[in-house]
Amino acid sequence: DAKTTQPTSMDCAEGRAANLPCNHSTISGNEYVYWYRQIHSQGPQYIIHGLKNNETNEMASLIITEDRKSSTLILPHATLRDTAVYYCIVRPSYQGAQKLVFGQGTRLTINP
Amino acid sequence: KAGVTQTPRYLIKTRGQQVTLSCSPISGHRSVSWYQQTPGQGLQFLFEYFSETQRNKGNFPGRFSGRQFSNSRSEMNVSTLELGDSALYLCASSLESGNTEAFFGQGTRLTVV
């Protein structure tokens, strides 16, 4: 059911940028790319979302390719607290589309 | 602003019993969704309520049901519990618009013995 593909796991050194890729080759024109993360035993946390332009907030940056078939979430200066499972989700933008389809996500480990 | 509150945090039930879980959304949020998370199946959508009406439903048996009250608080009920219903049940609230982020609660950990 999930329409995204992510690497199962990734490692990153503390203080470095963590770049998490996501493929969504069947994305439709009205679908946004959302990123959430889940730290062990907690509820998922919203990170960022975008349609076709690159987006940045206090947590991360989202880079979406021009053809919108893939995207990269960038955590600019990873800390140990960024260790979590990161989910890339595509979701329609119309009202009423609150269903989130989670894949297996990427388990990101930040190493000291 | 208070976040999404789920009660109880932990619950142990016996097979065949029923259980009711509660979710209080962020103030002003009218959409409440429920998810089940298990090690084998991951995070799966159960249903969504908006203005006391079920707006969307996942692929779960009829033993799983929910409702939403006029103050947007929501409850989900699981009847005739099975061992496989042991999971983390998560609630998420959103504003009315479709293009908004969902905010999740800490979840209720249900163990069926």
Side-chain angles (χ1 to χ4, degrees), chain B:
Chain B
K1 193 184 244 188
V4 178
T5 304
Q6 291 188 246
T7 56
R9 288 295 310 278
Y10 302 92
L11 205 49
I12 299 175
K13 289 287 190 178
T14 305
R15 269 184 305 175
Q17 287 186 312
Q18 74 164 10
V19 68
T20 299
L21 311 181
S22 179
C23 172
S24 293
I26 292 172
S27 178
H29 286 193
R30 298 171 62 188
S31 169
V32 174
S33 300
W34 289 89
Y35 293 81
Q36 181 197 64
Q37 185 171 29
T38 61
Q41 298 299 316
L43 269 158
Q44 292 186 288
F45 173 80
L46 279 157
F47 30 64
E48 184 220 351
Y49 286 86
F50 178 80
S51 291
E52 303 178 63
T53 301
Q54 188 180 87
R55 191 160 66 174
N56 209 340
K57 189 177 189 305
N59 188 27
F60 279 82
R63 299 186 297 108
F64 293 82
S65 63
R67 60 177 175 169
Q68 186 180 34
F69 302 95
S70 58
N71 62 358
S72 295
R73 190 178 70 84
S74 177
E75 290 181 345
M76 69 161 282
N77 184 79
V78 187
S79 62
T80 319
L81 283 166
E82 301 176 359
L83 295 179
D85 296 332
S86 295
L88 179 66
Y89 289 88
L90 292 156
C91 165
S93 78
S94 307
L95 284 169
E96 178 175 351
S97 169
N99 180 28
T100 57
E101 57 268 37
F103 295 87
F104 284 80
Q106 293 301 297
T108 294
R109 173 78 60 186
L110 172 65
T111 302
V112 182
V113 297

Side-chain angles (χ1 to χ4, degrees), chain A residues 12-15 28 37 43 48 56-57 74-75 78 81-82 88 96 102:
Chain A
C12 180
E14 188 178 19
S28 303
R37 72 180 182 184
I48 197 167
T56 296
N57 62 21
I74 302 172
L75 307 177
R81 287 176 296 182
D82 291 322
C88 169
F102 288 85

Side-chain angles (χ1 to χ4, degrees), chain A:
Chain A
D1 206 1
K3 297 186 284 187
T4 63
T5 304
Q6 300 177 251
T8 302
S9 63
M10 293 182 63
D11 286 89
C12 180
E14 188 178 19
R16 304 297 294 269
N19 297 287
L20 291 88
C22 178
N23 286 320
H24 31 79
S25 58
T26 60
I27 193 169
S28 303
N30 71 342
E31 288 183 318
Y32 280 71
V33 179
Y34 278 74
W35 283 84
Y36 284 81
R37 72 180 182 184
Q38 187 175 26
I39 297 170
H40 183 61
S41 295
Q42 296 183 21
Q45 177 189 24
Y46 165 81
I47 301 172
I48 197 167
H49 74 282
L51 182 63
K52 54 183 177 181
N53 297 321
N54 297 337
E55 302 288 344
T56 296
N57 62 21
E58 65 279 4
M59 288 184 67
S61 294
L62 174 60
I63 309 298
I64 302 174
T65 58
E66 194 169 338
D67 63 7
R68 303 210 320 123
K69 293 185 176 181
S70 66
S71 61
T72 301
L73 177 74
I74 302 172
L75 307 177
H77 305 288
T79 70
L80 298 178
R81 287 176 296 182
D82 291 322
T83 292
V85 178
Y86 286 76
Y87 297 97
C88 169
I89 299 167
V90 295
R91 207 192 87 181
S93 63
Y94 56 82
Q95 189 170 353
Q98 295 298 343
K99 174 182 177 180
L100 296 172
V101 179
F102 288 85
Q104 293 306 305
T106 296
R107 184 171 299 277
L108 175 67
T109 302
I110 306 300
N111 300 306

